[in-house]
Each structure stands twice: as structure tokens, then as C-alpha cells.
Amino acid sequence: MASKAHPVATTAAADWRDFLALTKPRVLTLVVFTGLCGLLAAPQSIHPVLGFTAVLCIALGAGAAGALNQWYEADLDAMMARTANRPLPAGRMDRQSALHFGVGLGIFSVLLMGLALNVLAAAILAVSILFYVVVYTIWLKRRTPQNIVIGGAAGAFPALIGWAAATGRVETLPVLLFALVFLWTPPHFWALALFINSDYARAGVPMLPAVAGQRATRIQIMLYTVPMVVAAVAPWAMGLTGAIYGIGASLLSALFLLLAAQVGFSREADPARMKAERRLFGFSILYLFLIFGLVVADKVLA
């Protein structure tokens, strides 16, 4: 396990771009989109202003989790090429500023959700922030190669939050969408981990390829893809969505399964030549956007 070392103190005041970077804008895009789709797919309509507020709270909550993640992992980020230029390891911000920003943003998002929408949505939002920061970042990431498996639940909450914000309830469809994202997370991140394994190994993060090897990781990617496909098609099979979603989800999931199989049967050991792994990682992001888009399209066009 990597030792916890503080990065060098900042030599210049952080600007707004550094605070924005703390929120992990790339990750935020997918989080906000799945939360919005959960809200739009709900059977109950919601006033546009309240809908905007709900999505804003989801974005702020996810941003808070990202900021607190970077606050805690500044030492790891400094050791990995893809994260070394983040505000904390690059010395553009001090850790205390990041901590205060993350805590303040998180509290504000939960309070606003509770006051503007409902207590259930606010409670799920609070759980999602705490799960990502405490369970995944602090407890699991440095201790077990199953960090992504369990920690994947943190990124699966937005659809539940959006649905709860609109209805005040948790029902079967958003639970299935939660399961879909939960099962999608391991093949998505392990595909990435296969071709940037040296980064994780340098930082001492026990990602599956570094601990169990490439062969075991490839097998696990295939094993998690199968129940993910089941979760993706389940809403149609259970009559919760129509043919627009069902056919689209089936085709997209079949392609995901094919790409996962290519990774699973690959013997490529050179990260620079891992084309199948990069294809799966890239498609996995598009896959989730399209699947959630189909949920909304199915409701609108049915």
C-alpha cells in the first residue's frame, strides 16, 4: 500500500479553472447525463425549474465527491502521469482549499436537493457522495483489487437520484439502471487499467491487472459483461420499456459483449499495442450514453 505523502505546498493562488478541475468535468458529464435521464424517464412530470435544480444538485454533489477524492489522493495523483497535472499534485492549490471546497459543495448540494425537491433524493445524494469518498476512496482503493467492483456503486446512483427527485420514490426501472452502471463499471475501468497498468503500479494502487495479472483481468471483464448485458435488457423483458429501448439496448449490448470477448481472448501484453482494450474502453463510455438516451427516447416516442 502506498504511503500517504503530502504534495509540495502551492506557490500560487488557485484560479477558477483549478476549482473546476477538482470536480472532474469529464466524469461529471456522464454523471449529469444519467441523472437527467433518470429524471426524464420518471412517470411523473416535474417543473422545469425544479428539474434544473435537481440536475444541478447531482452535478454539485458529484463535483464535491471528485474534489474530496483529489484531496485525499493527492499523493497518488503525483505519481501517475495521467493525473500529475491536477491542481494539487501540480502545486497550484493547497489541500485545505480542496477540502473546504469539496465539503462545502457537498453540503450545499444535499441541502438544496432536500429543500427544493424531497428528502429521499437528498438522502440518496448524500449516500452517493459518502460512498465515493469514504467507502471507495478512503477505504477500498488502496487496499483491495475489488475497489472498482464495490466502489462502482458510487457512480450508479445518479439515475436513482433523478428518478427520486421527480417522484419521491424508488422503483424497479431506476434500480435496474443502477445495476446496469454497477456492473458496467468493472469492465469499463479494467479495460483502462490494462493499458495504463504501469501508472497504477507506480502509485501502488492494487488494480486487478497489477495484483492478479492480465489473464485474470481479461476473464473478469468477460464475466462482468454477461450480467451487465442481462441488466441492460431486463427493463424490456420485464415490460418496463418498449421496443425502442429493447432493440437498441440489445444491439448495443451485443456489440459490447463482442468487444469484451476480443479483450478476453487477447494475448497482447504490450500496453502500446492494446487496440482491443482501447476500443472497449472508448465504446463503454458511448454505450452508457446511448443506453440512457434510449430510456428517455423510449418514453418520449412510445
Side-chain angles (χ1 to χ4, degrees):
M1 184 172 69
S3 61
K4 187 77 175 160
H6 291 184
V8 178
T10 183
T11 57
D15 64 21
W16 66 269
R17 287 165 293 193
D18 294 315
F19 284 100
L20 178 63
L22 281 182
T23 67
K24 299 187 176 181
R26 285 187 177 182
V27 176
L28 211 57
T29 304
L30 189 55
V31 168
V32 169
F33 184 75
T34 55
L36 174 63
C37 288
L39 185 142
L40 294 176
Q44 215 163 297
S45 60
I46 185 172
H47 191 282
V49 173
L50 291 178
F52 173 80
T53 303
V55 174
L56 175 64
C57 290
I58 292 171
L60 294 177
L68 292 170
N69 170 268
Q70 290 187 55
W71 160 74
Y72 190 78
E73 293 188 347
D75 60 320
L76 297 185
D77 286 346
M79 289 185 276
M80 297 194 290
R82 70 186 185 91
T83 56
N85 196 43
R86 285 176 173 175
L88 291 174
R92 298 193 303 272
M93 182 184 294
D94 62 89
R95 295 181 80 244
Q96 189 175 38
S97 295
L99 175 62
H100 291 170
F101 177 70
V103 171
L105 206 60
I107 292 173
F108 177 75
S109 67
V110 172
L111 289 177
L112 181 59
M113 182 72 88
L115 292 172
L117 281 305
N118 59 69
V119 173
L120 178 61
I124 301 173
L125 178 61
V127 168
S128 71
I129 297 170
L130 291 172
F131 195 96
Y132 186 74
V133 175
V134 178
V135 177
Y136 171 66
T137 302
I138 296 176
W139 179 32
L140 296 173
K141 188 167 183 178
R142 299 174 189 246
R143 288 175 170 82
T144 171
Q146 296 301 306
N147 48 23
I148 286 300
V149 177
I150 305 168
F157 281 108
L160 273 177
I161 299 168
W163 187 286
T167 66
R169 304 184 302 275
V170 171
E171 297 173 273
T172 305
L173 180 55
V175 170
L176 289 173
L177 295 176
F178 175 95
L180 169 62
V181 180
F182 178 77
L183 294 165
W184 166 90
T185 303
H188 166 72
F189 273 103
W190 285 335
L192 172 68
L194 281 169
F195 60 84
I196 65 162
N197 186 42
S198 59
D199 247 11
Y200 288 120
R202 189 182 307 114
V205 179
M207 279 295 188
L208 193 62
V211 174
Q214 290 188 5
R215 186 80 226 115
T217 303
R218 295 178 189 281
I219 292 171
Q220 289 296 314
I221 286 173
M222 289 193 296
L223 289 177
Y224 273 93
T225 298
V226 173
M228 184 210 76
V229 169
V230 173
V233 179
W236 185 32
M238 297 174 66
L240 301 173
T241 59
I244 293 174
Y245 172 84
I247 295 171
S250 298
L251 293 174
L252 289 169
S253 298
L255 180 54
F256 195 114
L257 190 59
L258 174 62
L259 294 176
Q262 289 176 350
V263 171
F265 291 109
S266 174
R267 295 293 186 272
E268 184 57 66
D270 182 1
R273 299 177 61 183
M274 289 184 178
K275 295 181 179 179
E277 293 76 8
R278 294 175 190 273
R279 277 197 302 268
L280 176 60
F281 175 72
F283 177 73
S284 67
I285 299 170
L286 177 63
Y287 172 84
L288 213 57
F289 273 109
L290 292 176
I291 286 286
F292 275 81
L294 282 169
V295 174
V296 178
D298 188 84
K299 179 191 174 185
V300 172
L301 300 175

